[in-house]
Amino acid sequence: MDIFLQQLINGLTLGSVYAIVALGYTMVYGIIQLINFAHGEVVMVGAMVALSVISALTGAQIGLPPVVIVLAGIACAIPACMAIGYGMERIAYRPLRKAPRLAPLITAIGISIILQHVALLVFSRNPLSFPQIMPNPVFEIAGAHISAVQIAIIGGSVVVMAGLTFLVYRTRLGIAMRATSENVQVAGLMGVNIDRVISSTFVIGAALAAIAGVMIGTYYGIAHYTMGAMLGLKAFSAAVLGGIGNLAGAMLGGVLLGVVEAMGAGYIGEFTDLCQAPWIAGLMTERCADGGNFVLFGSNYQDVFAFLVLIAVLIFRPSGLLGERVSDRA
Amino acid sequence: MALLEVRDLEVGYGGIAAVRGIGFEVAQGELVALIGANGAGKTTTLKALAGMLVASGGSVHFDGKSITRTPSHQLIRQGVALVPEGRGVFTRLTVEENLAMGAYIRDDRAGVRTDLERMFGLFPRLKERRAQVAGTLSGGEQQMLAIGRALMSRPRLLLLDEPSMGLAPLMVQKIFEVIQGVSKEGVTILLVEQNARLALEVASRGYVMESGEISLADSSAALLASPQVRQAYLGE
């Protein structure tokens, strides 16, 4: 099996999900310069709601075709997340709009904790297995494997990103959103209801998060009330990598981060295998004999790479790959 | 009754009064200038009229209705458009998208398209650059865009804040020709300017603002002839 191609496929899958979550971070930041740290939790809620609906419909045994059940799960997750996105802006962030920037940031962390614990109470403290009700055939291309779920995730995210691009660049709401992100006061002079545009931004980002939640739940096969935290941080890193506030940047950053992470996980074992270093292998002949290995860091260090990338970006290119402005506010 | 009636308007920034109980009016179809030195309160007055600042006292009536506390996004629906100081074009939007933002409140697509072509007729430079992002335009072109954008809402009252600021003399002349043209088409205009001579040459009447109060009000001809104005604002 070709490790490179295989990890590329895995990375693109994961990166597609990061990209969709990163869009939520970057859109909100673009409009109100807030890093909505609770965004990852919205992804988790999306996964949880979809899981509950899918489990319930499957358990009811009313003979619905699996595709319909999955779509029903998504169809419930999206409005549930939209409601949470709307609610958190309305209740937590709007009253703080004129407050110092630290206040909404800390509030975001608070919302994140609240959502996690509400999910713990409503769902479970244990990881829930995502019902696999559809066959997931695996295809082989050039020695690497790609599953139907992976194809669906990559394809679905392309559709979602194309749809969002259309919305932002071709519709009245989208132009108003871009105008607002550049100059709130003048957008108001044009007749734009700023509150409504900000609400829409949160709601759209939350809808994307719901879709990402279903994707990641289906991909890993589990959902847990803490799953949003790490995913959210990585997607935030992806948004910073691409240039926070920049839509294309979030997409690029997400996909790149997914690939970097998969490549890192795929090769770290090989690169930190002490038996590959002749002078150490000489000291540990017993262990290294017959193709044995002594791996310092295994693929369980996968999570490290996203943050290495984040640190590198912050040091060498704080405005991100596609960001024009040097980020003086983040 | 005048189209715009301002009575005892007071506006402050955190307790400091920038506008101290001024009153003036602009009749339907008039072009009125509000002149004064830097810091006299002209921009603050306009911002209060446009709903960007909340008045701490007094009243503003437009077409007989109070707009004293109307937020700016509702004001434009009543027909009041402001071209802000420093132009305020959306630099990351294209010229055409900027003009579309001006027509944000309008639903008549055909009418908007007609007006877009009208703006391009009025400002041929903008037509050449319609697909460019506005940040790449020169200062003068941005000012044209800002005025065009405001006109796209089909305002009944146009508030202009320092349209000559930072522009080359030739461009200033061009902008003022446009302002006169717009005025001739029947749009009522309140023009705030530091360039007093220019403003009074196109306006029929003028008000002079000084430290947050109106110190003089007269016809443009009279103001241009007044020794006080000549000395303080025309540099003679």
Side-chain angles (χ1 to χ4, degrees):
Chain A
M1 194 175 69
D2 185 347
I3 286 200
F4 180 80
L5 190 59
Q6 186 60 56
Q7 290 306 92
L8 185 66
I9 291 172
N10 296 345
L12 286 177
T13 310
L14 213 48
S16 301
V17 179
Y18 291 163
I20 294 181
V21 183
L23 283 169
Y25 279 99
T26 229
M27 284 169 67
V28 165
Y29 185 86
I31 297 240
I32 54 171
Q33 287 78 49
L34 164 73
I35 292 162
N36 178 17
F37 274 119
H39 189 59
E41 261 53 64
V42 182
V43 178
M44 177 271 294
V45 170
M48 287 296 188
V49 169
L51 178 144
S52 308
V53 171
I54 293 172
S55 301
L57 286 178
T58 312
Q61 291 187 325
I62 38 180
L64 285 173
V67 185
V68 174
I69 294 181
V70 172
L71 289 178
I74 298 175
C76 293
I78 291 176
C81 287
M82 284 172 139
I84 288 178
Y86 177 82
M88 75 167 111
E89 191 276 326
R90 194 71 191 75
I91 297 165
Y93 301 140
R94 192 175 296 182
L96 295 174
R97 201 162 304 152
K98 292 202 168 78
R101 295 169 51 81
L102 207 52
L105 195 71
I106 292 168
T107 304
I109 295 169
I111 301 280
S112 166
I113 294 169
I114 292 171
L115 284 176
Q116 273 192 29
H117 288 83
V118 168
L120 183 152
L121 292 173
V122 173
F123 300 99
S124 163
R125 60 168 59 250
N126 301 313
L128 300 170
S129 69
F130 226 85
Q132 301 293 322
I133 53 174
M134 276 202 282
N136 185 14
V138 175
F139 308 97
E140 198 178 317
I141 36 170
H145 298 290
I146 183 165
S147 70
V149 166
Q150 287 182 306
I151 294 174
I153 289 176
I154 295 172
S157 69
V158 169
V159 172
V160 166
M161 288 191 264
L164 184 77
T165 306
F166 177 83
L167 182 122
V168 170
Y169 286 92
R170 286 284 175 272
T171 65
R172 209 169 92 109
L173 173 65
I175 297 175
M177 284 168 69
R178 285 187 291 138
T180 306
S181 86
E182 183 169 338
N183 192 332
V184 174
Q185 283 209 315
V186 178
L189 282 177
M190 302 294 121
V192 176
N193 185 336
I194 304 301
D195 286 340
R196 201 175 296 166
V197 166
I198 293 173
S199 286
S200 308
T201 308
F202 273 85
V203 166
I204 293 167
L208 297 182
I211 295 170
V214 178
M215 285 175 169
I216 203 79
T218 316
Y219 187 47
Y220 285 139
I222 55 165
H224 189 226
Y225 75 95
T226 59
M227 68 188 277
M230 184 60 86
L231 183 65
L233 278 178
K234 286 183 184 173
F236 165 66
S237 307
V240 173
L241 169 62
I244 191 127
N246 183 311
L247 289 186
M251 300 181 197
L252 176 71
V255 172
L256 268 182
L257 197 74
V259 171
V260 166
E261 204 180 88
M263 290 297 170
Y267 287 103
I268 188 173
E270 206 170 304
F271 284 128
T272 59
D273 179 3
L274 294 183
C275 291
Q276 301 291 325
W279 58 278
I280 294 181
L283 297 175
M284 301 191 293
T285 41
E286 229 169 86
R287 198 164 170 150
C288 294
D290 302 325
N293 58 33
F294 190 87
V295 173
L296 274 186
F297 300 108
S299 58
N300 49 344
Y301 278 82
Q302 178 174 0
D303 290 344
V304 168
F305 295 100
F307 303 110
L308 286 179
V309 168
L310 177 63
I311 292 167
V313 169
L314 290 178
I315 293 174
F316 297 109
R317 200 178 158 85
S319 56
L321 294 175
L322 301 184
E324 316 115 50
R325 298 169 297 169
V326 171
S327 117
D328 54 343
R329 308 186 277 196
Chain B
M1 190 170 34
L3 186 66
L4 178 73
E5 283 190 355
V6 179
R7 294 277 164 267
D8 307 317
L9 183 70
E10 288 172 24
V11 196
Y13 295 99
I16 300 155
V19 173
R20 310 154 184 245
I22 63 168
F24 62 91
E25 51 184 55
V26 183
Q28 173 77 46
E30 247 189 328
L31 199 175
V32 173
L34 183 61
I35 60 174
N38 215 346
K42 309 185 300 292
T43 293
T44 307
T45 304
L46 273 200
K47 281 189 168 172
L49 296 185
M52 293 168 82
L53 290 173
V54 181
S56 46
S59 70
V60 182
H61 283 80
F62 176 69
D63 202 11
K65 276 176 293 195
S66 169
I67 55 165
T68 318
R69 309 227 181 287
T70 310
S72 51
H73 71 268
Q74 284 168 17
L75 211 54
I76 192 167
R77 289 181 167 79
Q78 300 192 24
V80 183
L82 168 69
V83 178
E85 187 180 17
R87 306 180 274 273
V89 298
F90 301 112
T91 57
R92 279 176 273 154
L93 268 55
T94 65
V95 167
E96 207 167 333
E97 285 171 337
N98 266 280
L99 292 170
M101 279 307 295
Y104 182 79
I105 52 162
R106 292 173 58 183
D107 291 322
D108 56 324
R109 289 186 161 212
V112 170
R113 212 166 306 130
T114 314
D115 279 0
L116 189 69
E117 289 310 319
R118 207 164 59 90
M119 290 312 141
F120 285 149
L122 202 57
F123 308 106
R125 292 292 291 222
L126 297 184
K127 185 170 189 173
E128 290 165 29
R129 290 157 195 259
R130 62 196 291 173
Q132 257 173 262
V133 292
T136 62
L137 300 183
S138 74
E141 289 163 350
Q142 289 192 8
Q143 187 65 63
M144 290 179 184
L145 181 57
I147 294 175
R149 184 180 62 181
L151 292 176
M152 286 298 287
S153 68
R154 291 226 177 141
R156 286 197 286 157
L157 173 65
L158 185 63
L159 308 171
L160 292 165
D161 198 353
E162 305 271 7
S164 78
M165 193 166 70
L167 300 186
L170 213 64
M171 192 53 88
V172 171
Q173 208 183 331
K174 226 170 157 181
I175 295 286
F176 271 76
E177 279 166 21
V178 168
I179 294 171
Q180 276 180 298
V182 171
S183 170
K184 284 208 184 79
E185 281 179 27
V187 178
T188 310
I189 297 177
L190 176 61
L191 170 63
V192 159
E193 258 297 341
Q194 271 193 68
N195 189 332
R197 183 191 305 278
L198 211 54
L200 291 176
E201 274 168 5
V202 296
S204 57
R205 292 191 299 120
Y207 294 91
V208 180
M209 254 188 116
E210 229 171 296
S211 323
E213 284 164 2
I214 286 179
S215 56
L216 279 172
D218 214 327
S219 73
S220 292
L223 286 176
L224 280 167
S226 133
Q228 201 184 335
V229 172
R230 291 176 80 96
Q231 197 198 356
Y233 303 107
L234 303 179
E236 287 174 17

